[in-house]
Amino acid sequence: MAQAMINFRMDADEKTSFENICDQLGISITAAFKMFTKKVIREKRIPFDVSIDPFYSESNMRHLSKIVSEVDSGTAVLTEHELIEAD
């Protein structure tokens, strides 16, 4: 079987965290990516949910920016809430 090389960049801290997890699992980063690749090929899908978090939607980001501006300018109406402990 012919071999092919894949190169990509990622955040250094994320790489270190990923490397540490792989070490704890007793596998290399290469083995982890091979496992991911084989699962994608076998299932013909990304093997986990890929979705857009509504928190990061454009409308929510505008809303949060507005609130931050109001807080910064001192015009925000802030309400103190009581902490409710969950069981």
Side-chain angles (χ1 to χ4, degrees), residues 69-80:
S69 295
E70 289 173 358
V71 169
D72 288 345
S73 69
T75 61
V77 178
L78 303 176
T79 307
E80 189 174 320

Side-chain angles (χ1 to χ4, degrees), residues 60-71:
N60 196 46
M61 291 294 102
R62 279 193 309 272
H63 175 72
L64 293 173
S65 292
K66 180 179 178 254
I67 291 171
V68 168
S69 295
E70 289 173 358
V71 169

Side-chain angles (χ1 to χ4, degrees), residues 6-53:
I6 298 175
N7 293 310
F8 61 92
R9 296 193 179 280
M10 68 185 312
D11 178 84
D13 292 336
E14 289 178 352
K15 178 187 179 278
T16 300
S17 294
F18 184 58
E19 205 165 27
N20 289 337
I21 292 167
C22 287
D23 286 343
Q24 291 173 28
L25 293 170
I27 62 174
S28 65
I29 288 178
T30 299
F33 279 107
K34 284 182 179 180
M35 292 165 62
F36 172 76
T37 302
K38 288 178 185 284
K39 190 158 178 78
V40 168
I41 292 167
R42 184 173 53 251
E43 296 182 7
K44 297 184 181 359
R45 68 179 191 90
I46 302 295
F48 47 82
D49 257 353
V50 178
S51 61
I52 297 171
D53 187 337

